[in-house]
Amino acid sequence: MVISPLRRKVLRDLRRLGAQALAIALVLAAGVATLILGNGALDALTETRARYYADSRFADVFADLTRAPIALIDEIELIDGVLQAEGRIVKVGLLDLPAMAEPGSVLFVSLPGEGGLNRLHLRRGRMPDPLSADEVVVSEGFADARGLGPGDRLPVLMNGQRRELRLTGTAFSPEFIYALGPGDIMPDPRRFGIVWMPRHGLESAFDLRGSVSSVVAKLVPGANEAAVIEKIDRLLAPYGGAGAEGREDQVSHAFLDAEIKQLGAMVKVLPPIFLLVAAMLVNMTLMRLVALEREQIGLLKAIGYGSRAIAMHYVEFVLAIALAGIAIGLVAGAWLGAGMAQMYARFFSFPFLVFSRDPQVYGLAAVVTLGAAVAGAVRAARSVVALPPAVAMTPPAPVAYRRNGGWLRRLLGLRQTGLMVARHLWRWPLRTGSSVLGIAMAVAILVASLWSFGSIEHMIHVTFGRSERHDAQIVFGDPLPASAAFDARTLPGVMVVEPFRAVTARLSHRNLSRKLTIIGKPPEPHLSRTVAPDLRPMAMPEAGLILSEALAEALDVRPGDLVEVEVLEGPRPVLVLPVSGLSVGYVGLSVAMDIGALNRIMREGAMISGVNLQLDPALQSDFYAAARETPRTGFVGVRELTVNRFRETLADNITIMVTVYVALAGIIAVGVVYNSARIALSEQGRELASLRVLGFTRSEVAGILYRELAAVVLIAQPLGWLIGYAIAQAMVAAFSSDLYRVSLVIGREVFAVASLAVLAAALVSAALIRGRINRLDMIEVLKTRE
Amino acid sequence: MRGPPARTGPVFRVKALSKTYRSGLLEVHALRCVDFEAAQGEFVVILGPSGSGKSTFLNIVGGLDRASSGEVWFKDHQLTAASEAELTRYRRDHVGFVFQFYNLVPSLTARENVQLVTEIAHNPMPVDDALALVGLSERRDHFPAQLSGGEQQRVAIARAIAKQPEVLLCDEPTGALDSRTGIRVLEALTEVNRAVGATTLVITHNAAIRDIADRVVRFADGRIAEESRNAARKTPAEVSW
């Protein structure tokens, strides 16, 4: 095969400019990798979820109720749009493991019937014998975390009764991909598991013979979900129906959705940054290469090569770099993608993970990257075409500089070498601007990833430091008379008791509505406080509601507005209440009011749903043991465990993400600084060598180049902070959902760390270029014109 | 400014200087056993065809290149034994260079190019005096791109002499200039040689320039082939080429 001379030149240019080409290729690779990783993970999650939902016949509508006869299911199936309905028993119970001091809970769910909904995917062992009273399957995550397997025993408290269940296997369920325990804000499989057992066992344990406490329904494709929900609600209302909800409000589904939304945001933000920076680098480098090879271009044109062929030659050079970048990016993306899939597998309970190596994603990444690289090459290629051969053959006219900014020079007290730096930067504003923007992007990526640590600490501080200050919370199985608070006071270690009432209700304003739990609190709560946006605790108003900002936004209300409250339990009163104030809150939507006012609305007397407690730390385990024994205890929440789990989970995930981001930002910073340095050196090599001849030392000469880089890097910092702040703001908006609200708290240390990391990368590049400065050939430079 | 040059003791002493390059498989003997001396304030013109070794000689004497063998002394400093840092120091404190392609910094004006050197010199002359000496006072705020070739070369000379160097080394200073401009540049050089008293070595292709020197050295094939002394120096204006 004969390689054309121009193509051979491409290969030699690549070898000669190897390090620069590699730096550009790496930035491109980062773009490709994030594109593949993001899209791959997005596809993996979406695909896996879709396939799993379909395989397991995941329900579309979910409704909890107190108890209803099983015959009601037939009526629900008759509703227009309902394909299939299934009645179940779903109840909370307590774990009674002797090796476990801290309280844990389980959710008992009756096994889906033959051909039923939300089918289990058996991972180990076998399904329970339908006739057995104590055989169960538990969720795989829980079994894993507790080291349980088929044949093991599981002591639990069901409806206050101690029972010992036998595990026959472990399973996954589409309903609990994200298995959140009661009162928790992060899944903690050590302290919360799902226990599936044949329904007759649950019927007898919870005294629900012939009844159901939960209904799930699958809809006909294209059915009107809202209409179905309304009809189901009407049917269930007499049986304590707490309001049916669609899939989008189902906890596990909603959390998965939030994750998918976040990934989607990442895919939109990161790859474009890398591709933009890479295009700028290609542009800078190629413009310089064309300037250096002016005479060669003239010669090629003079001997008869067409402008197009020569321009293509330079584009080919870029394409070669792009292909290298794509190859590296594809491998890195696939590798990181596999790692991310594992992270998901740990976090979400899927029986399988479809990590599709979708050729479309790879193809798209390749095409977009090639496009970015070629776009970067366009300006240089155009200048090649525009160069007339006769002009190209003569050396370029000396670069014309202008005097300006004399005041600035006097202000900075610049010496001549400083002036060289300033004028050189000023002479090519576009290129200087590109370098500044490139570095700024590196800083921005760091700011946009590092802020999350501070925000999470702020969130923890507000939620658990200012607001939920209790050590433990007991939630009763059913509301009890207020005197139950005195019983709680007698438990060992309890120092302060604060009761609360929780009532499920639907809040509506115009056409907006949300189903949630109204919490009734004492007028001046001490342990579970409602906190204003300025973080001051709020007193409960006599009649009105205090909405969290997120809820106020969701309902589009302001203090003073009226909202319709439709209580979904007990006597189900419907009334209109004023919004008395707004509170701050980051987890879920919340609404609080005076417990007395709430009880008056309910017309059931002074009832409480549970108590918040302050404990004597020395007696904590005694308390746990005693609380478990108390028959009325639905479950026990422990603040410390919740906070720890929250921190642990987020720290794990965020640390991984931040590591990836830091590496990516480093690639950008090194790529931009190194390329800028090489270009500056190539342009000013002659001047710098002349200075060496004049008696400037190597350090002084290197200093000139370094000052230029330093100026670019320093100017980029505030810009990077600004862009990073904007990206962080966009991320906050993208991440915020009804489940979570993220507060944008960026401390000074975030900016400092981002800048230091980028400065470190810049220093590495500076060190890489030092050898070339030392080797400047003083003699060569004197003999030749540029 | 210093008084008229007192011609005492050699500034340069070169003994058995050889330089061998290896270019690929080929060994190039650029200099073969050269002996040379120059007195203080002397104006020496070095002639010779391309590849005769004259530039290599100037580069070694100027501390830009290293000898393969032999000794080069600048006063009591042995340049052939000096470290890289000592050579930089030597160029910085004692040597002024003028080159064929001027090698000015394009981003600095004429005045600033001269200042570039005075900022790091021990005993510089006022920048404006240096520019006046080469007749460029009015053009001092122009950038190299705004100056003619002759003017650029005169800026280079002003830059070279502003530090009041003991030696002034010029490699083809008129090589890129037409004759009229060349004469202006040579006038600047002789004026500086007279005024500053720097020992001046000028390499040229142009044999006509020989008449303005105290002494003429002709290189051929890496050796000094011929040396002659002019009884009377002509002024550049009297020279024709």
Side-chain angles (χ1 to χ4, degrees):
Chain A
M1 188 181 68
V2 182
I3 302 175
S4 77
L6 274 185
R7 191 140 302 153
R8 203 167 291 156
K9 181 173 168 305
V10 167
L11 296 176
R12 298 219 171 112
D13 284 347
L14 280 174
R15 207 161 53 199
R16 191 163 53 85
L17 298 172
Q20 265 176 288
L22 181 67
I24 299 174
L26 283 179
V27 176
L28 283 169
V32 174
T34 46
L35 205 61
I36 287 185
L37 169 67
N39 275 316
L42 196 60
D43 280 358
L45 264 189
T46 326
E47 274 291 304
T48 305
R49 187 176 72 173
R51 195 177 318 161
Y52 185 32
Y53 279 0
D55 284 0
S56 56
R57 294 180 63 76
F58 186 44
D60 296 306
V61 175
F62 305 77
D64 285 330
L65 53 142
T66 315
R67 70 183 296 157
I70 206 157
L72 196 69
I73 301 303
D74 296 338
E75 275 183 65
I76 290 174
E77 276 193 329
L78 288 177
I79 294 175
D80 195 22
V82 173
L83 184 71
Q84 184 182 357
E86 191 167 16
R88 319 181 297 173
I89 295 173
V90 177
K91 285 285 175 186
V92 176
L94 290 177
L95 270 175
D96 192 26
L97 290 167
M100 189 177 171
E102 74 270 20
S105 48
V106 291
L107 192 69
F108 295 105
V109 181
S110 56
L111 275 171
E114 196 74 22
L117 301 175
N118 302 346
R119 284 184 205 163
L120 299 187
H121 181 106
L122 199 64
R123 170 50 49 97
R124 289 184 272 166
R126 60 169 175 84
M127 290 302 237
D129 180 345
L131 298 174
S132 150
D134 62 350
E135 285 190 354
V136 299
V137 216
V138 300
S139 49
E140 169 68 19
F142 171 68
D144 210 35
R146 297 237 60 109
L148 296 172
D152 284 342
R153 309 232 155 222
L154 182 70
V156 292
L157 289 165
M158 295 174 82
N159 205 12
Q161 311 265 312
R162 176 162 288 117
R163 291 279 300 275
E164 196 154 275
L165 304 174
R166 271 189 304 145
L167 262 67
T168 61
T170 64
F172 292 103
S173 158
E175 211 180 342
F176 303 102
I177 294 170
Y178 189 96
L180 200 60
D184 272 341
I185 51 178
M186 275 289 163
D188 186 353
R190 274 184 55 75
R191 292 191 301 114
F192 176 69
I194 321 295
V195 176
W196 290 276
M197 57 191 292
R199 68 169 287 129
H200 72 88
L202 287 171
E203 278 183 356
S204 52
F206 288 95
D207 202 15
L208 283 168
R209 242 166 291 273
S211 305
V212 298
S213 76
S214 162
V215 175
V216 290
K218 185 137 196 71
L219 303 187
V220 177
N224 180 351
E225 188 187 275
V228 172
I229 285 177
E230 209 187 313
K231 285 180 186 140
I232 291 180
D233 278 351
R234 217 173 297 149
L235 276 176
L236 294 184
Y239 304 100
E245 54 196 21
R247 247 190 214 175
E248 76 263 28
D249 293 319
Q250 199 264 340
V251 172
S252 164
H253 179 90
F255 273 95
L256 256 174
D257 242 13
E259 182 68 30
I260 287 172
K261 212 169 134 193
Q262 288 181 20
L263 264 176
M266 184 191 111
V267 172
K268 283 197 197 81
V269 170
L270 274 187
I273 290 182
F274 287 103
L275 296 178
L276 176 71
V277 172
M280 292 190 310
L281 286 182
V282 165
N283 177 30
M284 271 159 63
T285 309
L286 207 60
M287 283 303 279
R288 179 60 195 154
L289 189 63
V290 167
L292 278 178
E293 297 187 344
R294 221 176 120 81
E295 291 174 41
Q296 296 178 40
I297 294 167
L299 183 74
L300 287 171
K301 286 193 177 181
I303 61 177
Y305 278 91
S307 294
R308 201 191 246 292
I310 304 170
M312 260 320 285
H313 161 70
Y314 289 99
V315 173
E316 266 177 32
F317 172 75
V318 169
L319 288 180
I321 295 175
L323 287 178
I326 290 168
I328 300 170
L330 290 180
V331 173
W335 180 70
L336 285 172
M340 191 133 175
Q342 270 166 14
M343 199 166 111
Y344 283 133
R346 264 211 318 270
F347 197 60
F348 295 114
S349 302
F350 284 115
F352 52 83
L353 204 63
V354 189
F355 195 74
S356 68
R357 306 232 182 276
D358 183 358
Q360 262 188 336
V361 170
Y362 286 62
L364 177 81
V367 168
V368 169
T369 307
L370 282 176
V374 170
V378 162
R379 201 160 71 102
R382 283 232 298 262
S383 73
V384 168
V385 172
L387 209 58
V391 174
M393 296 272 279
T394 58
V399 177
Y401 282 88
R402 281 183 304 129
R403 286 158 71 91
N404 39 25
W407 57 273
L408 189 65
R409 174 187 168 192
R410 278 189 294 280
L411 188 76
L412 296 173
L414 284 184
R415 287 162 67 105
Q416 305 311 317
T417 44
L419 208 55
M420 283 174 69
V421 170
R423 290 213 180 117
H424 189 250
L425 286 174
W426 192 249
R427 179 63 184 73
W428 282 276
L430 200 67
R431 191 173 64 205
T432 304
S434 299
S435 302
V436 167
L437 191 61
I439 308 268
M441 286 302 187
V443 177
I445 287 180
L446 286 177
V447 169
S449 60
L450 291 172
W451 65 271
S452 41
F453 288 112
S455 282
I456 285 164
E457 279 313 311
H458 175 76
M459 193 165 154
I460 289 175
H461 167 71
V462 172
T463 310
F464 300 104
R466 304 287 305 168
S467 180
E468 303 299 327
R469 306 193 305 165
H470 52 264
D471 296 317
Q473 183 181 54
I474 298 179
V475 179
F476 304 137
D478 295 300
L480 297 177
S483 60
F486 296 110
D487 300 340
R489 181 72 184 83
T490 63
L491 289 170
V494 172
M495 300 191 327
V496 180
V497 178
E498 187 177 282
F500 66 90
R501 176 85 208 256
V503 172
T504 309
R506 194 189 311 279
L507 263 61
S508 316
H509 178 245
R510 302 209 187 100
N511 58 339
L512 302 167
S513 82
R514 287 288 187 282
K515 196 189 104 180
L516 39 72
T517 306
I518 302 177
I519 303 290
K521 300 180 179 189
E524 296 277 351
H526 181 68
L527 294 181
S528 171
R529 306 193 298 192
T530 298
V531 177
D534 64 2
L535 302 190
R536 267 191 305 213
M538 304 168 85
M540 290 299 115
E542 260 175 54
L545 300 168
I546 295 181
L547 271 54
S548 66
E549 289 173 312
L551 178 60
E553 230 166 75
L555 295 178
D556 189 24
V557 292
R558 266 179 289 273
D561 288 350
L562 297 174
V563 288
E564 191 190 85
V565 180
E566 179 193 355
V567 177
L568 297 172
E569 52 185 271
R572 305 178 83 88
V574 178
L575 65 162
V576 171
L577 289 174
V579 177
S580 302
L582 298 185
S583 66
V584 69
Y586 300 117
V587 185
L589 303 174
S590 70
V591 51
M593 68 186 294
D594 181 82
I595 190 168
L598 184 56
N599 275 327
R600 279 195 294 280
I601 291 170
M602 296 302 289
R603 294 181 303 239
E604 291 174 334
M607 302 292 277
I608 62 176
S609 307
V611 285
N612 292 308
L613 306 168
Q614 194 178 327
L615 300 179
D616 178 349
L619 295 172
Q620 226 161 19
S621 28
D622 293 347
F623 163 78
Y624 296 150
R628 208 161 20 191
E629 299 297 318
T630 313
R632 304 290 199 163
T633 300
F635 73 91
V636 182
V638 180
R639 188 185 71 144
E640 199 187 343
L641 298 176
T642 308
V643 178
N644 288 350
R645 177 67 191 170
F646 184 70
R647 218 179 239 143
E648 216 173 87
T649 310
L650 284 180
D652 269 8
N653 295 350
I654 289 176
T655 304
I656 293 172
M657 288 313 283
V658 166
T659 311
V660 172
Y661 280 105
V662 168
L664 294 178
I667 287 173
I668 287 198
V670 171
V672 173
V673 174
Y674 183 73
N675 259 295
S676 307
R678 284 292 298 270
I679 289 171
L681 187 60
S682 128
E683 265 175 6
Q684 295 170 284
R686 191 180 164 74
E687 289 161 54
L688 298 179
S690 302
L691 293 185
R692 289 277 291 128
V693 170
L694 293 180
F696 281 76
T697 63
R698 283 174 173 166
S699 308
E700 284 168 336
V701 167
I704 293 176
L705 205 66
Y706 286 170
R707 260 179 281 170
E708 185 166 327
L709 297 179
V712 167
V713 171
L714 290 181
I715 295 169
Q717 301 305 315
L719 184 63
W721 297 338
L722 221 64
I723 298 175
Y725 191 86
I727 295 177
Q729 248 176 348
M731 280 164 79
V732 164
F735 287 8
S736 287
S737 59
D738 282 0
L739 301 173
Y740 277 126
R741 218 172 146 78
V742 184
S743 67
L744 184 57
V745 180
I746 305 192
R748 268 174 298 185
E749 73 284 354
V750 169
F751 297 117
V753 170
S755 290
L756 284 177
V758 169
L759 291 182
L763 284 179
V764 169
S765 320
L768 288 176
I769 203 96
R770 183 64 200 252
R772 285 178 185 275
I773 300 175
N774 285 349
R775 286 197 302 275
L776 279 174
D777 191 336
M778 290 183 279
I779 296 166
E780 195 53 41
V781 79
L782 302 176
K783 288 203 178 301
T784 47
R785 292 186 103 106
E786 195 175 8
Chain B
M1 228 169 276
R2 296 174 197 176
R7 310 204 167 187
T8 53
V11 172
F12 283 123
R13 279 178 293 136
V14 177
K15 281 186 223 157
L17 176 64
S18 293
K19 175 73 181 178
T20 316
Y21 291 110
R22 181 170 288 284
S23 95
L25 292 174
L26 228 64
E27 217 168 57
V28 182
H29 294 276
L31 290 174
R32 301 166 197 260
C33 214
V34 172
D35 293 315
F36 174 85
E37 278 194 4
Q40 181 162 4
E42 208 179 353
F43 194 113
V44 182
V45 163
I46 300 173
L47 297 172
S50 305
S52 61
K54 54 189 194 309
S55 289
T56 307
F57 174 74
L58 200 77
N59 289 340
I60 295 174
V61 164
L64 292 174
D65 203 353
R66 291 186 166 278
S68 302
S69 67
E71 289 179 13
V72 177
W73 289 81
F74 167 74
K75 294 188 167 169
D76 50 355
H77 303 291
Q78 190 185 351
L79 300 182
T80 35
S83 68
E84 177 63 40
E86 285 165 341
L87 285 181
T88 302
R89 198 80 228 162
Y90 162 66
R91 295 196 302 270
R92 184 175 189 140
D93 294 341
H94 305 291
V95 189
F97 284 102
V98 178
F99 300 100
Q100 183 178 3
F101 299 117
Y102 334 131
N103 292 68
L104 297 178
V105 175
S107 55
L108 298 179
T109 62
R111 197 170 190 284
E112 290 160 350
N113 260 286
V114 178
Q115 262 178 314
L116 188 64
V117 167
T118 58
E119 274 176 359
I120 60 165
H122 282 308
N123 178 31
M125 65 170 75
V127 174
D128 291 335
D129 289 2
L131 285 167
L133 214 52
V134 296
L136 271 181
S137 295
E138 344 58 274
R139 308 280 283 163
R140 62 183 183 185
D141 286 333
H142 289 66
F143 284 97
Q146 299 162 324
L147 298 170
S148 72
E151 286 170 331
Q152 287 188 54
Q153 191 59 297
R154 276 145 65 199
V155 175
I157 294 171
R159 185 177 67 178
I161 53 117
K163 70 168 86 158
Q164 312 220 48
E166 275 113 313
V167 292
L168 189 56
L169 305 178
C170 313
D171 195 345
E172 300 278 7
T174 58
L177 305 172
D178 63 63
S179 69
R180 233 186 52 185
T181 328
I183 288 167
R184 289 281 289 141
V185 166
L186 290 176
E187 276 173 344
L189 277 179
T190 49
E191 171 63 13
V192 163
N193 171 248
R194 194 192 55 73
V196 182
T199 304
T200 306
L201 307 187
V202 179
I203 287 182
T204 181
H205 268 102
N206 188 343
I209 294 174
R210 61 191 306 160
D211 295 342
I212 67 169
D214 290 317
R215 185 153 57 107
V216 178
V217 174
R218 198 168 62 78
F219 270 76
D221 202 18
R223 294 189 179 86
I224 294 182
E226 192 191 324
E227 243 187 295
S228 63
R229 198 166 277 283
N230 288 329
R233 287 171 64 179
K234 288 184 180 172
T235 63
E238 294 168 308
V239 176
S240 61
W241 76 77

